[in-house]
Amino acid sequence: SSVLDIDFSPTGREFVSGSYDRTVRIFRYNEGRSREVYHGKRMQRIWSVLFSGDSRYVLSASDDFNIRLWKANASESVKPQLPREKRKQEYETKLKDRFKDTPEVKRIARHRHLPKAILKATKIKGIIKSSKKRKEDNVRKHSKKGEVPYVAERKKNVVTVMK
């Protein structure tokens, strides 16, 4: 889906995007997948997104003239925490970091609940992408060697590179 607005966090390590598909996504600067995905049942297209000054919150403005406030870390508590709760949170974070390479923890960490319409559009896009790849492979099989170059998927959508 097309991205309508983007904003970098004050730290510069993350950015947030607002999309035509009615989602707000938070990405780390060096990863291809979103860290958090926010959506609402009655939310419309997101026209503007903004990180707060302390990068703890994300503001989004949509077609329905609403401004929504989202936590940058969904699991983080908003209220002041007791020292015991802080220690527990730190311990859980350390456990996640320690076992992040195991398949079970990877699967849980990557799971995002998305609305049915977005899942359906993603499946259709996957089908289209696989059929284009199959067609490209067939063209490559029936042409001279090296005539049809391999282009990385991420580089196919790059229009120009600015310096």
Side-chain angles (χ1 to χ4, degrees), residues 56-57 71 73-81 85 89:
R56 290 182 60 198
Y57 299 100
K71 293 187 289 184
N73 292 318
S75 61
E76 196 174 276
S77 179
V78 178
K79 65 179 183 175
Q81 292 182 325
E85 292 172 328
Q89 191 87 20

Side-chain angles (χ1 to χ4, degrees), residues 4-21:
L4 300 176
D5 194 27
I6 188 170
D7 185 43
F8 277 90
S9 70
T11 59
R13 309 283 296 172
E14 295 178 327
F15 63 93
V16 64
S17 70
S19 303
Y20 194 81
D21 65 355

Side-chain angles (χ1 to χ4, degrees), residues 104-128:
E104 295 86 6
V105 175
K106 258 187 197 176
R107 182 183 57 81
I108 293 168
R110 286 179 55 177
H111 176 74
R112 299 286 175 260
H113 177 75
L114 294 173
K116 196 175 191 179
I118 295 173
L119 276 178
K120 191 174 180 181
T122 305
K123 283 183 182 179
I124 291 171
K125 188 176 180 181
I127 292 169
I128 292 169

Side-chain angles (χ1 to χ4, degrees), residues 75-106:
S75 61
E76 196 174 276
S77 179
V78 178
K79 65 179 183 175
Q81 292 182 325
L82 297 171
R84 178 178 50 85
E85 292 172 328
K86 284 183 183 177
R87 284 193 307 269
K88 180 184 179 232
Q89 191 87 20
E90 289 169 2
Y91 176 71
E92 288 176 350
T93 305
K94 286 179 184 176
L95 275 179
K96 288 177 194 173
D97 287 341
R98 184 176 180 185
F99 296 106
K100 67 182 175 189
D101 295 324
T102 59
E104 295 86 6
V105 175
K106 258 187 197 176

